[in-house]
Amino acid sequence: MTEELIGASAALASLIGLSYWARSVPTRAWGDGTPGPTRAWAIALGTLALQGMAAVTAAGPTAGVALVIAAWMALGWLLVLAMNLWPEAALRWARRLGVLGGTGCVVALGWVLLRG
């Protein structure tokens, strides 16, 4: 696996935490409070750990941490924009892309562990 693919997966994985977080607080577009704040925190921290491990594995500690922070900031901003314009489609695609990124992180970490 290339570092670019792992980095893209780590960036997309932030959509898992962001979409749960957006649903846990009352917002105009999604905020029905379904997941609850405790579950949203747990999912967000789990997502940070997963994408942090994948990004640091791919790019080193400094670049990996910078990638994770930048992904949360940039994709968070884009998600807020999208959910105000297209709430149903944005939620659906944020979940799909987040799961795709999370799966890429798990596969990349498994690949690194198996490769030794």
Side-chain angles (χ1 to χ4, degrees), residues 49-109:
L50 175 65
Q51 68 184 139
M53 287 187 295
V56 167
T57 301
T62 306
V65 170
L67 174 80
V68 171
I69 293 170
W72 277 79
M73 290 173 55
L75 290 176
W77 176 77
L78 288 171
L79 185 62
V80 168
L81 177 65
M83 69 186 221
N84 284 321
L85 296 174
W86 313 283
E88 295 86 19
L91 177 61
R92 189 171 46 250
W93 279 100
R95 287 180 179 163
R96 290 175 183 168
L97 292 173
V99 168
L100 179 68
T103 304
C105 289
V106 170
V107 168
L109 290 171

Side-chain angles (χ1 to χ4, degrees), residues 3-67:
E3 289 78 19
E4 293 84 11
L5 184 60
I6 298 171
S9 294
L12 283 177
S14 62
L15 288 171
I16 297 170
L18 287 167
S19 63
Y20 272 94
W21 185 262
R23 290 194 60 217
S24 71
V25 295
T27 62
R28 185 168 46 112
W30 296 346
D32 56 0
T34 304
T38 305
R39 184 171 179 205
W41 269 105
I43 291 171
L45 292 175
T47 302
L48 277 170
L50 175 65
Q51 68 184 139
M53 287 187 295
V56 167
T57 301
T62 306
V65 170
L67 174 80

